[in-house]
Amino acid sequence: MGGWERFVDTFFKPALIERYWPAILDGMWVTIQIAAAVVVTGLALGLLLAVIRAYRIRPLTWAIILCVDVLRALPPLVLILLAYFGLPNIGILLSAFTVLWLVLSAVLAAFTEEIVWAGITSIRKGQWDAARSTGFGFTGALIFVVLPQAIRLAIPPLTNRTIAITKNTALGSVIGVAEILNRATTAQSVEGNATPLAMAAIAYCLLFVPVVIAGRWIETRFGWRRA
Amino acid sequence: MSSSAARPILEVRKLTKRFGTVEVLKGIDMVVAEREMVFLIGPSGSGKSTLLRCCNRLEEPTSGHVIVDGVDLMAPGTDINAMRRRIGMVFQQFNLYPHLTALGNVSLALRKVLKQSRAQADATARAALEQVGLAARAGAYPADLSGGQQQRVAIARALALEPTVMLFDEPTSALDPELVGSVLSAMRDMRAAGMTMVVVSHELRFAREAADRVVFLDHGQIVEEGPPSQVLGTPTSERARAFIADLLH
Ligand SMILES: Nc1ncnc2c1ncn2[C@@H]1O[C@H](COP(=O)(O)OP(=O)(O)OP(=O)(O)O)[C@@H](O)[C@H]1O
Ligand SMILES: [Mg+2]
């Protein structure tokens, strides 16, 4: 058997592709569901936390900083294992899917909070002054003047972060969420062949390359020049 | 113009402001009558901006009172947000909202503070832009406007709320010399329309021509005040004389 045949046989064995593509497709669907759920809840929660922090209420600010720093410091896998194997012992029974969704949402929320907060603090004081001088209260100035600008500044780092964290849905394979990688590793151990893993890689590309492109589009769409 | 019968619009009473231990305003008393244009001049750090910002409580006075159209801004029951929109403010750095068009800048408070419909707010905003000669640039973003145009949009943003008094903090000092004229002429028009104005500016030629009164501030105190010809022409205090000579040479 020549090198090329061996390569094809290892990564793209036709019989295995045929056998496992439905499973990989199912996995893609699960991955899409988790990723979408994580993006929505993570971004929304992170934005909410940044807004709360803007009010500079000491105990709340400290609580937010503490949670955010811990979530950013720990590897997501540690959090997933901790939640999945720890929580049942204190009477909280969550499905693997739910654990993955909650943990990744929390992590994305933590990064989102930091990025949006950085955006808020980088808006010049004159913007607040202008808004307040036309009768906006603090909340109005925040919502209508400062946040729209802060969010535009946050979009490039936020897109990167969002993509990086949604890719972590692959960690769900460890606790048995039937997403792409989980399906692939199961098949791989049954067959003793890397073809299912190569299929998984292709599936991830199919899912995330469009997301990366969309991210780039959003960045240019919402980029705007400062006066 | 400042006849004794004129109604006071802005009254500043025994106003003091401390930043930490530094007393920046040391008991300011000043009354601006309806339709009056008062020029506030003084050396850098004398407290001009702080005084102006105390007049709408963007800066919190340490003690004293600011009364606008009979309403004490310092009184506990006063709705400061409602009062602020009756006190137009124009900033040295324009402070336009970069994410909104000229029209968006002018109409934002109309829509979100006054809760006007979009159509109504846009109509008011267009009229305000018209007043400053920028109706044609309504759709432009601040980044695409010259400094002079940006400052006039900022003036329109304040004007659209139909303020009782307008405060200007060095409205032309961030502008290239050739753009100053357009902003001054917008201010001239406002004055002709009867707006009450307090202007911090070093445009002494404009002060001579347009101001009813010039107030000279130094080290947080009013050192001298009177008609422009007097304060700018024959200042009595040594400080004012030195300051004005410096500006004119
Ligand atoms: N937020 C602040 N905290 C501490 N000190 C301040 C603050 N704002 C102003 N000051 C000080 O108060 C004094 C008066 O400042 P202000 O800006 O009112 O002066 P100004 O007359 O407007 O000067 P300029 O002509 O340079 O604008 C200055 O000494 C300044 O350093
Ligand atoms: Mg100043």
Side-chain angles (χ1 to χ4, degrees), chain A residues 72-101:
Chain A
R72 293 196 308 157
L74 286 177
L77 183 57
V78 173
L79 286 165
I80 289 167
L81 294 174
L82 215 53
Y84 188 66
F85 294 109
L87 291 182
N89 293 326
I90 55 169
I92 303 172
L93 279 168
L94 299 174
S95 71
F97 184 100
T98 309
V99 166
L100 185 61
W101 168 57

Side-chain angles (χ1 to χ4, degrees), chain B residues 45-121:
Chain B
S46 56
K48 306 180 296 294
S49 296
T50 307
L51 172 56
L52 219 54
R53 294 167 59 82
C54 281
C55 289
N56 65 354
R57 274 180 72 186
L58 275 186
E59 209 69 76
E60 199 59 39
T62 305
S63 70
H65 291 272
V66 176
I67 298 152
V68 173
D69 204 10
V71 180
D72 187 348
L73 299 192
M74 305 304 291
T78 301
D79 178 350
I80 187 65
N81 292 331
M83 286 310 292
R84 278 200 188 119
R85 64 170 196 255
R86 301 182 50 197
I87 308 168
M89 190 164 217
V90 175
F91 305 87
Q92 181 174 3
Q93 299 299 336
F94 328 137
N95 297 345
L96 289 185
Y97 312 135
H99 62 298
L100 298 176
T101 61
L103 189 72
N105 268 273
V106 180
S107 63
L108 187 70
L110 297 171
R111 288 176 56 205
K112 303 302 179 187
V113 178
L114 297 183
K115 315 279 187 209
Q116 291 181 5
S117 70
R118 180 183 277 271
Q120 192 186 358

Side-chain angles (χ1 to χ4, degrees), chain A residues 33 35 48 52 61 67 76 80 84 94 96 112-113 118 129 141 158 183 187 189 196 200 213 219:
Chain A
Q33 285 177 305
L48 180 68
I52 292 173
T61 300
C67 291
I80 289 167
Y84 188 66
L94 299 174
T112 302
E113 190 279 328
D129 287 346
L158 216 49
R183 307 286 183 129
S189 59
I213 291 169
E219 280 171 31

Side-chain angles (χ1 to χ4, degrees), chain B residues 96 102 105-106 129 134 145 149-157:
Chain B
L96 289 185
N105 268 273
V106 180
L129 285 171
L134 283 175
L145 296 171
Q149 291 173 329
Q150 289 186 56
Q151 190 60 298
R152 282 183 286 151
V153 173
I155 290 173
R157 177 171 65 185

